[in-house]
Amino acid sequence: MFVFSGDALHCYHCESDDSCIIQECASGSQCAATRKSSLRSCLSFPEQCYQGSVNYGLEREVFTSTCCSTNLCNNQSAPGNLSHKCYFCNGVECTGTLNCLGDEDYCISTTVSSGGTTKLLKGCASQEMCSLSNIPGLEEAGQVHKCCQKNLCNSASSTTAGLLLSVVPLISLGFFS
């Protein structure tokens, strides 16, 4: 049994599941357990307590941070359904379909601008990731993302199809003039 003095919150601080110490947290902190890195510690910023994922077809990131505010409440690692389909990009075209996993109940389209180039990413995301202003891992680049909740609502696109659609009216104009 642990006896704590004062009002400071105490949390487990673990670099891995088998190496933990008890840590006194700064005022206003919460205890947190993070799934991605199996880290458990004090967390000073409550906005970092979220669960979510983003799936771009070729790459999927799951972020899970559970937070609590009683002494030693982060004694376990953060916890870990197929929902619907969204389009994803393979580098050239965005016409592949992807089965969304877990809590990924939104389709996402993200435009990333960095170093004078623009890249389009499409895939599945959780509501938590859609509500963030910047998707983790893409912070260093300019990004704009849009989310929608229906099957395949992040529309397929390819540069080849776009070019073909702009040429067809010109060809038909040539035949009929």
Side-chain angles (χ1 to χ4, degrees), residues 69-132:
S69 55
T70 59
N71 283 323
L72 305 177
C73 58
N74 65 336
N75 59 345
Q76 295 181 2
S77 295
N81 103 69
L82 188 63
S83 54
H84 65 278
K85 291 184 182 229
C86 299
Y87 288 105
F88 77 95
C89 303
N90 66 7
V92 178
E93 297 182 330
C94 299
T95 55
T97 59
L98 177 67
N99 289 321
C100 300
L101 303 171
D103 64 350
E104 298 166 351
D105 50 359
Y106 285 80
C107 293
I108 188 169
S109 295
T110 303
T111 304
V112 180
S113 301
S114 179
T117 62
T118 300
K119 183 177 183 178
L120 180 62
L121 303 169
K122 292 182 182 255
C124 303
S126 64
Q127 179 180 6
E128 185 74 19
M129 291 294 107
C130 287
S131 66
L132 296 175

